[in-house]
Amino acid sequence: MISRLRPAALALIAGLLAGPVAAAPCSNTGAAYESWKPQMAQEAAAAGVGRQGIAALMGTSYSSRTIAADRNQKSFKYSLEKFMQVRGSDTIIRQGRSRKAKNPDFYAALEQRYGVPAGILLAIHGMETGFGNFMGDTNVVSAIATLAYDCRRSDFFTPHLLAALVLVDRGSISTASVGAKHGELGHTQFLPGNALAYGVDGNGDGRVDLTNLTDAMASTANFLAQKGWRPGLGYQPGEPNHAVIREWNAAGVYQQAIAIMGQQIDR
């Protein structure tokens, strides 16, 4: 059974993501990371993070690989043609069509529930993790903590760190969970704050697990629906739902690629 996020969870994430919450000082090097952790732990406890979440924070390590990835996101600067070539759009379209054909009822049920067509969900799935073939190799909590500590985007990542710690408290992730270099989770790479806010128990087992395909696809559809997806309307540039793709990823070249691939998959 596909179930929607409970209002209580929405209220919690709204509070966590309301704005900058941490007074712990940021830094542009890893030198002060260990002294930062107890300061951040105090802020997290004040925000309602429990004992397990605090222990997870204190067990993190500064992730130099995450910082290197954050400083080198050059693919978003490519032309659309180059971006689609580098990201393997032809393969995503081909495999997306195949996956839809093999499981049409699953994607039809998602579209009926959330209004989001299969092509968009499959394009995102293919773009983010190659349809689950590589969901990351970086410790999630350490990656998010490193980005919250780093001055470049501390205000943005601190709420996501708090959300990650709440997910640890709830047992949705653990201190061993791995994801992408920026701490994104699962088949479609949710940041922890979005996982907490929009995650859906798609298979009805009582747990939101974004490494499970059913949960991940339902959660992705739910995210887009909650962000304003209008069923049956277009999603190419200039059409009503293209703005919702921007909510998923802020890079224009990414948005255009998803729109093109989604349309090709659904043909």
Side-chain angles (χ1 to χ4, degrees):
M1 180 184 69
I2 296 174
S3 59
R4 290 186 180 274
L5 188 75
R6 294 190 298 274
L10 284 171
L12 173 60
I13 194 62
L16 290 177
L17 298 179
V21 294
C26 67
S27 175
N28 289 318
T29 74
Y33 185 75
E34 292 302 317
S35 62
W36 171 84
K37 289 194 297 185
Q39 297 177 71
M40 187 65 238
Q42 291 182 353
E43 299 294 334
V49 173
R51 183 165 54 88
Q52 286 183 296
I54 297 299
L57 171 62
M58 295 305 295
T60 60
S61 301
Y62 182 79
S63 177
S64 298
R65 295 171 66 202
T66 288
I67 294 301
D70 191 55
R71 302 292 190 267
N72 186 33
Q73 299 184 66
K74 63 182 181 181
S75 68
F76 293 123
K77 298 177 182 178
Y78 290 151
S79 68
L80 176 60
E81 181 180 5
K82 177 69 171 177
F83 181 82
M84 293 186 70
Q85 178 187 8
V86 169
R87 291 297 186 100
S89 62
D90 289 344
T91 299
I92 291 172
I93 292 166
R94 183 175 65 254
Q95 293 187 10
R97 287 172 175 168
S98 176
R99 294 176 76 90
K100 180 182 176 182
K102 289 178 181 177
N103 204 355
D105 292 344
F106 173 64
Y107 292 102
L110 288 174
E111 183 168 8
Q112 183 177 16
R113 178 104 191 190
Y114 297 103
V116 182
I120 286 294
L121 299 178
L122 286 160
I124 290 172
H125 191 196
M127 177 79 83
E128 295 290 350
T129 64
F131 302 105
N133 286 316
F134 182 68
M135 289 188 274
D137 58 3
T138 302
N139 183 277
V140 167
V141 183
S142 286
I144 289 291
T146 297
L147 291 166
Y149 163 80
D150 185 65
C151 287
R152 193 169 90 87
R153 290 191 287 171
S154 181
D155 286 349
F156 176 81
F157 280 106
T158 295
H160 286 292
L161 170 58
L162 296 175
L165 302 182
V166 170
L167 291 173
V168 172
D169 281 334
R170 293 183 174 186
S172 295
I173 65 172
S174 75
T175 55
S177 293
V178 296
K181 293 293 190 297
H182 287 73
E184 302 99 322
L185 299 159
H187 279 271
T188 57
Q189 304 287 268
F190 272 76
L191 281 169
N194 291 333
L196 186 61
Y198 302 104
V200 170
D201 175 18
N203 63 6
D205 68 354
R207 177 172 176 260
V208 176
D209 176 10
L210 295 177
T211 66
N212 172 272
L213 178 62
T214 302
D215 285 8
M217 291 292 98
S219 299
T220 306
N222 183 53
F223 175 95
L224 295 170
Q226 296 291 339
K227 293 296 185 179
W229 192 276
R230 298 165 66 183
L233 298 184
Y235 52 79
Q236 299 305 306
E239 295 181 327
N241 286 321
H242 193 73
V244 184
I245 301 175
R246 288 201 298 267
E247 295 290 331
W248 184 267
N249 190 294
V253 68
Y254 181 105
Q255 299 154 20
Q256 294 176 68
I258 291 295
I260 292 169
M261 290 188 294
Q263 186 178 64
Q264 292 292 322
I265 290 169
D266 275 335
R267 280 186 176 170

